Amino acid sequence: MRHDLLTDLRPLLTAETAAEAHATGTEPADLEQAVWLRLLERLATDGPPLDPPGWLRRAVRAEVRRTRRATRFEQPYETDPADDRDRGPEQLALAAARRRALREAVHRLPGRCSRLLEAFLSPEDPTYQEIAGELGISQGSIGPERSRCLGCLRRLLAPEVAARQLRG
């Protein structure tokens, strides 16, 4: 029953969300996803609606109202919070110290880990294919090896990070 209901409602939901989404300034797919979630939650608790097309239209309108209310309270940032171009000298010095500590820790790693992680830290941003060619390993083994090397790096850095936090 659920699969048939979802299949039958898909064209109606696509049309309803396409018609309503522009009024809210959201993407139709986002609105559609929210309504699908409402329907799945309802199916899990109350079962299928008696009038599925009517329920779907009401759910779309309710989601549109919720989105409009949320939009009224949202305020844009004056600047992008991730924008770190206007950092002061203290922040720049701390960031440089963190990068230096990371590179030093990477150089202390065993085996190929040091060379592999150095490749990932490279400003040239090499592809997996380029890294594999440079290190003489298969491209498919880079991901698992990187995970293993990052685990080693975490274990290596854990005492240093814990010691810094204790100083406070």
Side-chain angles (χ1 to χ4, degrees):
M1 170 72 178
R2 286 183 184 175
H3 186 276
D4 293 339
L5 178 66
L6 299 178
T7 304
D8 293 343
L9 290 177
R10 176 178 286 285
L12 177 61
L13 180 58
T14 302
E16 290 288 323
T17 56
E20 295 287 339
H22 299 297
T24 63
T26 61
E27 293 290 323
D30 293 340
L31 190 57
E32 188 174 336
Q33 183 178 4
V35 175
W36 278 131
L37 182 61
R38 278 183 178 224
L39 179 60
L40 291 174
E41 288 171 344
R42 179 189 167 95
L43 289 174
T45 58
D46 302 333
L50 297 176
D51 175 25
W55 180 91
L56 186 92
R57 287 184 186 98
R58 289 188 301 278
V60 168
R61 304 303 181 287
E63 199 57 42
V64 164
R65 286 190 303 274
R66 187 199 62 74
T67 303
R68 281 187 183 143
R69 275 193 311 272
T71 304
R72 266 187 255 142
F73 294 110
E74 291 175 353
Q75 297 294 320
Y77 284 111
E78 301 268 332
T79 60
D80 185 359
D83 183 10
D84 59 357
R85 287 177 286 183
D86 295 333
R87 295 189 298 174
E90 183 179 346
Q91 288 83 13
L92 292 172
L94 290 172
R98 282 192 298 271
R99 283 191 303 273
R100 194 170 35 256
L102 175 64
R103 289 207 181 267
E104 288 171 2
V106 166
H107 285 297
R108 292 189 313 231
L109 289 172
R112 284 195 299 216
C113 285
S114 178
R115 291 182 58 212
L116 179 65
L117 292 183
E118 270 297 325
F120 279 107
L121 292 172
S122 170
E124 285 84 38
D125 194 25
T127 64
Y128 271 35
Q129 185 177 12
E130 292 168 339
I131 293 172
E134 181 181 325
L135 298 179
I137 60 177
S138 73
Q139 191 173 337
S141 68
I142 291 178
E145 180 121 5
R146 183 193 66 177
S147 294
R148 187 181 62 76
C149 292
L150 288 174
C152 288
L153 183 62
R154 276 187 212 98
R155 286 188 298 277
L156 184 68
L157 289 175
E160 294 176 21
V161 172
R164 285 191 190 126
Q165 288 174 349
L166 290 176
R167 286 188 235 146

